[in-house]
Amino acid sequence: MKNPAKIGRWSPYVVGVGIGALSWITFGLMDKALGVSTSFVGTAGAIESLVAADHVQDNAYFAKYLVGSPLINWQFALVIALAIGAFVAGWLGRSRQSRAVPEVWEARFGSSKAKRFAFAFLGGAILLFGARMAGGCTSGHGISGGLQLAVSSWVFLIAMFASGVAAAMLIYRTGKGASHV
Amino acid sequence: MFDTPIFDTPMQLFMGAIAGFIFGFLLQKGGVTRFNVIVNQFLLRDFTVAKVMGTAIVVGGVGIYAMLQLGWIDALHVKAAHLLGNAAGGVIFGFGMALLGYCPGTAIGAAADGAKDAWFGILGGLFGAAIYAEASPWINANIMTIGALGKETISTETGLSPWWFMVGLAILAAGGFWALERWEHGRAARQSLAI
């Protein structure tokens, strides 16, 4: 049998079982739930504090995550190691990405890198604003909260999927045959 | 960070790193660090994201509730419900995810996986988090107060055993994915005939 680490793409069900089992480990051994987006708040606050430390400390939302608690914590380590894990998986499987402009984007908006990067920045800003209003992202609400049957997380999940479908139809549907991409 | 060391204990960092490495590895192998996979999910052309998340929720949930019942874990980590914030935040998040093509975790995975646009998504994310911090006093006063139920689950809210919902979700997922696979195979066969 071929070494699974060298296979470029795994079955989504195998990956889902793996992430489900990973949540047993984080709950059972670490007393934590998988999550990512809180680290964006801490990092943004730390960067902003380089130029305006008082302003950051006076902001109750930043203070909740930064005053009296270490910036480099369990979740921060998780986020850094997530990058390493994704890199190693792509490297072993010879399935690393190389494109600056993804195919589906290019089919609709052309091959301009500047345009893609500008909208990626805008998309990222909207994404994290929404995540912080909702209190979590696809990991913290979608998976960790979903599996705990949290009311907050299921409301988020349904709203997120409905909005994502509507937005993608609006943004990427051209009406003329890009559906094979 | 303020009034405290910048680093948590080595044990906390070690455990976070283990969890993160496995998570990132699985996300890349699942294909969900790819823009095309995520946007095609929202365009209902590729159901990889639903398969990964649905399976993770069922497998994770059955395990967590079993561990809770056996007393292996003391408590859950449920986020408090603020129904308007959860719903409006979800709508904003879904729009951002369709535009960026990644969610916060998969953007980090995608950037490490070689997708250059994901780096700009991460920078944008930091900007969005900072903007949210500025807006938070108003949001806390006007949005977070609506539908503030506390740390409720569907089980505690309805008074029914969580197993009703876990078994229901498991049946729904198994049946849904079985039907989805059949439909996808049929679609692939039709497409190969058409070519």
Side-chain angles (χ1 to χ4, degrees), chain A residues 93-115:
Chain A
R94 296 171 185 273
S95 56
R96 278 176 56 70
Q97 306 182 58
S98 54
R99 296 178 72 99
V101 182
E103 289 93 335
V104 174
W105 177 274
E106 192 179 292
R108 176 72 179 84
F109 295 109
S111 58
S112 162
K113 281 187 194 175
K115 192 171 173 184

Side-chain angles (χ1 to χ4, degrees), chain B:
Chain B
M1 189 175 113
F2 298 108
D3 310 324
T4 188
I6 196 161
F7 288 101
D8 209 327
T9 62
M11 189 58 190
Q12 284 295 316
L13 299 183
F14 177 71
M15 292 195 301
I18 297 283
F21 184 90
I22 298 171
F23 195 30
F25 193 94
L26 288 168
L27 291 174
Q28 201 280 347
K29 287 295 184 198
V32 290
T33 54
R34 292 171 179 274
F35 176 102
N36 294 342
V37 171
I38 288 180
V39 170
N40 279 337
Q41 169 67 69
F42 286 146
L43 291 170
L44 308 177
R45 294 171 183 160
D46 178 335
F47 288 84
T48 302
V49 176
K51 291 174 189 173
V52 169
M53 288 186 71
T55 311
I57 287 171
V58 170
V59 170
V62 168
I64 298 305
Y65 273 106
M67 284 159 68
L68 189 67
Q69 193 138 358
L70 293 168
W72 294 4
I73 52 176
D74 301 327
L76 297 176
H77 295 279
V78 174
K79 292 173 190 279
H82 305 272
L83 296 182
L84 182 59
N86 300 135
V91 167
I92 296 168
F93 186 95
F95 187 86
M97 189 164 162
L99 194 57
L100 174 59
Y102 313 102
C103 61
T106 54
I108 290 159
D113 192 30
K116 295 178 190 73
D117 56 338
W119 290 103
F120 291 86
I122 295 169
L123 288 177
L126 293 172
F127 183 71
I131 297 289
Y132 184 81
E134 297 304 322
S136 64
W138 188 88
I139 291 170
N140 286 341
N142 295 288
I143 293 180
M144 292 305 166
T145 46
I146 297 171
L149 300 181
K151 298 185 175 184
E152 295 289 336
T153 68
I154 299 171
S155 163
T156 58
E157 194 64 21
T158 57
L160 295 168
S161 161
W163 292 108
W164 287 110
F165 301 101
M166 283 321 314
V167 170
L169 274 178
I171 293 171
L172 201 68
F177 291 145
W178 177 79
L180 185 61
E181 292 295 327
R182 267 183 68 109
W183 176 75
E184 285 182 336
H185 280 113
R187 186 181 60 170
R190 282 192 300 278
Q191 281 175 353
S192 66
L193 278 176
I195 296 165

Side-chain angles (χ1 to χ4, degrees), chain A residues 75-87:
Chain A
Q75 195 189 91
F76 197 97
L78 178 144
V79 168
I80 301 300
L82 189 161
I84 300 169
F87 173 81

Side-chain angles (χ1 to χ4, degrees), chain A residues 88-154:
Chain A
V88 170
W91 175 58
L92 289 176
R94 296 171 185 273
S95 56
R96 278 176 56 70
Q97 306 182 58
S98 54
R99 296 178 72 99
V101 182
E103 289 93 335
V104 174
W105 177 274
E106 192 179 292
R108 176 72 179 84
F109 295 109
S111 58
S112 162
K113 281 187 194 175
K115 192 171 173 184
R116 171 59 196 147
F117 292 163
F119 279 100
F121 184 91
L122 179 66
I126 296 169
L127 183 76
L128 260 295
F129 190 93
R132 295 329 304 163
M133 185 185 285
C137 62
T138 337
S139 310
H141 261 321
I143 294 173
S144 300
L147 67 85
Q148 296 179 83
L149 303 171
V151 171
S152 53
S153 304
W154 280 93

